[in-house]
């Protein structure tokens, strides 16, 4: 699943071509919104909220709407100059928003909602502070994590109600950098504010990069532990372990060095 930095870049790319422009096509190819038509309306902005994308659109009559989408595992947004060939099959399209110069196409979007902008909280109001957003508040994020001291820190970090934007890659690398096993209970993590501060720093550093790095290298050795099961820890040489965290129906892969992250 794309993580907060990828979603932030996607929203920025869409904003660059849609903000301030009049829509010539507004086509949502999902049953619940198949008849919605905001052609003739103006896109005010496109922003990310954690892993969610919000198109804020103003109708000529004054009504304001928000197109809320989530990429989930397989979704993506592409932008094309008018007349360009789409890069993926038409049957995978879930949304098309066109202007006079650009086409923006959402493929295999996991969530497509259309709500009044005044009602945005119904779709994103549950999210905690956004690591890359203007609402970022490290004290609130740390307090949210601390609310359930028995919960594994790796599970708590992926709960978007605590802080919004982290996924399995950031969890793995963040826990390694802090020397904390993702299976450790939150109540046994010594410095939650320090962990939250580092999360903000590393996702901010990677925000403008297509290829993330956590080691400082831009070559293949960009990760400390993620995806490196059975390989040697770059710090101590111990074999990296892989396991799963989360409730039975929501398990996600996790990694750790058993020496560096006891």
């Amino acid at each position: 699943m794309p993580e907060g930095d990828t979603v932030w870049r996607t929203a920025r790319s869409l904003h660059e071509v849609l903000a301030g422009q009049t829509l010539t096509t507004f086509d949502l190819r999902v049953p619940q919104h198949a008849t919605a038509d905001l052609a003739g309306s103006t896109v005010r902005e496109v922003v990310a909220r954690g892993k969610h994308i919000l198109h804020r659109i103003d109708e000529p009559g004054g009504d304001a709407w928000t197109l809320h989408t989530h990429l989930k595992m397989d979704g993506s947004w592409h932008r094309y100059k008018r007349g360009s060939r789409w890069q993926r099959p038409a049957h995978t399209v879930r949304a098309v928003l066109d202007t006079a110069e650009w086409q923006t196409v959402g493929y295999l979007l996991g969530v497509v909602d259309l709500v009044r902008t005044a009602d945005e909280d119904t779709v994103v109001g549950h999210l905690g502070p956004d690591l890359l957003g203007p609402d970022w508040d490290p004290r609130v994020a740390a307090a949210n994590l601390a609310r359930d001291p028995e919960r594994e820190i790796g599970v708590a970090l992926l709960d978007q109600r605590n802080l919004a934007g982290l996924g399995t890659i950031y969890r793995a690398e963040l826990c390694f950098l802090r020397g904390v096993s993702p299976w450790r209970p939150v109540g046994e993590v010594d410095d939650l504010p320090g962990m939250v501060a580092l999360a903000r720093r590393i996702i901010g550093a990677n925000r403008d990069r297509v290829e993330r790095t956590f080691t400082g290298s831009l070559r293949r050795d960009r990760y400390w532990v993620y995806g490196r099961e059975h390989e040697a820890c770059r710090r101590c040489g111990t074999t990296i372990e892989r396991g799963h965290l989360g409730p039975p129906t929501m398990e996600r892969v996790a990694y750790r060095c058993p020496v560096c992250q006891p």
Side-chain angles (χ1 to χ4, degrees):
M1 180 182 294
E3 305 194 22
D5 53 347
T6 300
V7 175
W8 186 90
R9 287 194 304 275
T10 298
R12 179 181 63 179
S13 176
L14 294 169
H15 180 84
E16 288 172 351
V17 299
L18 291 177
Q21 301 300 309
T22 300
L23 294 174
T24 57
T25 301
F26 183 86
D27 181 12
L28 302 184
R29 301 182 184 181
V30 293
Q32 65 271 34
H33 300 303
T35 60
D37 187 3
L38 293 179
S41 301
T42 301
V43 179
R44 188 189 337 147
E45 60 183 350
V46 185
V47 299
R49 180 76 173 84
K51 299 180 184 181
H52 304 249
I53 296 174
L54 305 173
H55 291 70
R56 294 175 177 143
I57 302 168
D58 296 327
E59 283 193 284
D63 289 336
W65 294 89
T66 295
L67 172 63
H68 163 239
T69 60
H70 194 297
L71 305 181
K72 294 291 185 179
M73 294 297 294
D74 301 313
S76 62
W77 277 96
H78 293 195
R79 69 183 204 183
Y80 305 102
K81 276 284 192 180
R82 291 299 295 265
S84 299
R85 183 176 180 178
W86 293 358
Q87 296 177 2
R88 300 185 67 178
H91 73 267
T92 66
V93 173
R94 302 293 178 265
V96 180
L97 277 69
D98 294 348
T99 69
E101 294 185 33
W102 291 90
Q103 291 189 305
T104 60
V105 185
Y107 298 98
L108 295 175
L109 301 172
V111 174
V112 179
D113 289 318
L114 184 64
V115 299
R116 293 190 180 275
T117 301
D119 298 327
E120 269 184 17
D121 276 357
T122 62
V123 291
V124 293
H126 63 288
L127 298 174
D130 182 353
L131 282 153
L132 292 175
D135 69 318
W136 174 243
D137 189 326
R139 291 173 297 180
V140 172
N144 288 347
L145 290 171
R147 284 183 302 196
D148 189 350
E150 301 301 319
R151 199 178 198 190
E152 298 97 334
I153 184 62
V155 175
L157 288 170
L158 292 196
D159 188 337
Q160 304 299 296
R161 296 170 297 180
N162 291 332
L163 66 170
L166 297 182
T168 54
I169 297 175
Y170 275 97
R171 171 177 72 182
E173 298 297 292
L174 175 62
C175 285
F176 177 83
L177 290 168
R178 293 296 299 177
V180 172
S181 167
W183 285 270
R184 187 181 300 182
V186 169
E188 296 179 16
V189 176
D190 294 333
D191 185 7
L192 285 175
M195 176 167 276
V196 164
L198 182 59
R200 173 66 183 86
R201 190 157 68 250
I202 59 177
I203 200 170
N206 281 312
R207 186 184 69 175
D208 296 311
R209 295 188 181 117
V210 175
E211 297 290 340
R212 301 184 186 105
T213 181
F214 298 90
T215 63
S217 171
L218 295 177
R219 299 188 299 273
R220 292 182 62 186
D221 53 344
R222 294 177 292 118
Y223 298 121
W224 291 102
V225 292
Y226 181 80
R228 300 192 63 243
E229 66 271 23
H230 310 310
E231 298 182 32
C233 174
R234 301 190 193 283
R235 181 177 290 166
C236 74
T238 305
T239 301
I240 300 299
E241 297 178 346
R242 166 179 166 155
H244 290 83
L245 267 171
T249 59
M250 300 178 63
E251 283 188 328
R252 305 280 290 280
V253 68
Y255 301 87
R256 73 158 185 155
C257 169
V259 171
C260 297
Q261 299 168 264

